Amino acid sequence: MRSAQQILADSAVIAVVGASRDPAKAAHRVPAEMQRYGWRVIPVNPIADELFGERAYRSLADIPHPVDLVDVFRPAEDAVEVARQAVAIGAPAVWLQLGIVSPQARQLVQEAGVDYVENRCLVIERAAANLTRSG
């Protein structure tokens, strides 16, 4: 199991489930900051067509290319279904943002051999490790 910072270092493409159109929300600010530091952010939002200059997808299954990390900005009760979808598309890692904890999602993901992080923020971990991507 890789550490949170190792997952970020190894990832280039992050699918953000629950990405928000509202710049006041963390679900908008966090992916936007990750994009500024070089990660490709693929928004998953069923009511948006585009976010962060990228096409938004209705579900993880709709993304036509591999992703390295599935970042979850959904309530804990939705995390199990997102985890199932992440495993189904072959994502190597699932990350539940700060304040989101799901023992069921953790068990499902870990049983599938997928790296898992919960209750941690991408931008905090990125800053702590001083990570950037060249794109």
Side-chain angles (χ1 to χ4, degrees):
M1 196 60 93
R2 295 176 293 167
S3 71
Q5 293 175 351
Q6 188 61 52
I7 291 168
L8 281 178
D10 293 346
S11 298
V13 179
I14 303 171
V16 180
V17 178
S20 176
R21 296 181 294 180
D22 182 351
K25 292 186 174 183
H28 181 92
R29 291 188 317 268
V30 168
E33 182 167 335
M34 295 305 289
Q35 189 180 55
R36 274 194 303 278
Y37 280 94
W39 281 265
R40 182 174 181 202
V41 171
I42 307 299
V44 178
N45 179 317
I47 59 172
D49 293 324
E50 184 179 299
L51 287 166
F52 322 112
E54 291 274 355
R55 177 180 172 197
Y57 294 91
R58 305 291 179 247
S59 72
L60 289 171
D62 293 333
I63 301 172
H65 51 76
V67 299
D68 302 311
L69 171 61
V70 173
D71 182 36
V72 182
F73 274 101
R74 299 290 306 143
E77 55 269 17
D78 295 347
V80 174
E81 181 54 33
V82 175
R84 274 192 196 96
Q85 292 175 22
V87 168
I89 67 164
V94 174
W95 187 304
L96 275 55
Q97 276 295 140
L98 197 60
I100 307 170
V101 175
S102 173
Q104 297 88 356
R106 180 184 328 113
Q107 181 178 354
L108 187 153
V109 167
Q110 289 177 338
E111 285 176 358
V114 172
D115 289 322
Y116 183 82
V117 175
E118 66 182 8
N119 194 27
R120 292 174 85 172
C121 179
L122 289 175
V123 297
I124 292 171
E125 296 301 323
R126 186 218 61 77
N130 197 28
L131 294 171
T132 60
R133 300 248 358 135
S134 57

